[in-house]
Amino acid sequence: LHAHLTGCGSCQELSARFMQLDRRVKLRPAESVPDLRPAILTRVRPAVLGRNGWMRPALAWVALVLVVLSSIGLMVGGIGVMIIMLISVAERTREIGVRMAVGARRRDVLFQVLVEAGTLTGIGGLLGIALGYLASWGMTHVLRFPFAVSAPVTAVAVIFSVAIGIFFGLYPANRAARLDPIVALGRE
């Protein structure tokens, strides 16, 4: 396998040889997939980065643009969660007043709203991860490219999603916790 791949001069040639190998070699499920990292590091990486590393600055700019765009998306999503939670608190003012009149402390109301915000964004994060993995899996079959799932990255994504919900749910939670029970019970 290594001898078959080391003679490649370009990415297109390497891709063509992968396709030839895929047609010729049929692995049974019990067999392990060969380690292609040495061939990829020696052939594909220099082809992508260029001889003098001219792609590094371009990749750095692409990474910066992706970070900026994703940060804007997180801000917009967080503000949306905050507005939804403010609407939820406004609609349930009477319920919050009853809870506080019966004996719930401010901390209890604050915790309830934060759990709701974290649950909302956590479920959204899980759905987004599931759709992303489904799309990646589908594209791997179309492009015939390897697909790998990283459990630590998935866990960090879910935790980050819940953290965004909790952070942007702090203002509505504080607003709900500071309600006066008498005023809250009088609202319709």
Side-chain angles (χ1 to χ4, degrees):
L1 178 68
H2 188 270
H4 185 72
L5 295 176
T6 53
C8 300
S10 67
C11 286
Q12 291 85 7
E13 196 174 336
L14 183 64
S15 177
R17 290 202 182 175
F18 271 124
M19 296 296 246
Q20 290 173 355
L21 279 175
D22 190 38
R23 285 188 206 114
R24 278 195 265 161
V25 178
K26 295 294 181 192
L27 295 176
R28 290 188 295 272
E31 294 182 64
S32 64
V33 176
D35 187 15
L36 301 176
R37 281 178 280 178
I40 290 172
L41 289 176
T42 57
R43 293 291 172 204
V44 176
R45 191 169 183 201
V48 170
L49 294 179
R51 296 198 190 281
N52 299 324
W54 60 272
M55 286 289 285
R56 289 178 203 265
L59 290 175
W61 278 105
V62 168
L64 179 65
V65 168
L66 289 175
V67 166
V68 169
L69 290 176
S70 63
S71 298
I72 292 170
L74 284 174
M75 287 294 293
V76 169
I79 291 170
V81 168
M82 184 171 61
I83 290 170
I84 293 295
M85 294 312 297
L86 281 171
I87 292 170
S88 173
V89 166
E91 286 179 353
R92 297 184 316 165
T93 303
R94 191 170 175 86
E95 175 192 332
I96 293 169
V98 169
R99 283 194 71 205
M100 292 180 89
V102 172
R105 293 172 291 193
R106 289 182 179 205
R107 186 178 79 203
D108 299 330
V109 174
L110 182 87
F111 184 71
Q112 175 189 353
V113 176
L114 287 178
V115 165
E116 288 175 14
T119 303
L120 178 71
T121 56
I123 290 172
L126 288 173
L127 287 174
I129 288 170
L131 288 175
Y133 280 144
L134 186 63
S136 298
W137 179 79
M139 291 305 291
T140 58
H141 290 312
V142 171
L143 299 176
R144 303 181 65 83
F145 199 75
F147 173 68
V149 176
S150 173
V153 171
T154 303
V156 168
V158 171
I159 291 168
F160 196 74
S161 175
V162 171
I164 291 288
I166 291 172
F167 178 76
F168 282 98
L170 280 173
Y171 176 69
N174 278 327
R175 193 164 171 182
R178 289 194 177 136
L179 284 174
D180 184 18
I182 297 170
V183 174
L185 285 171
R187 286 194 187 163
E188 293 268 343

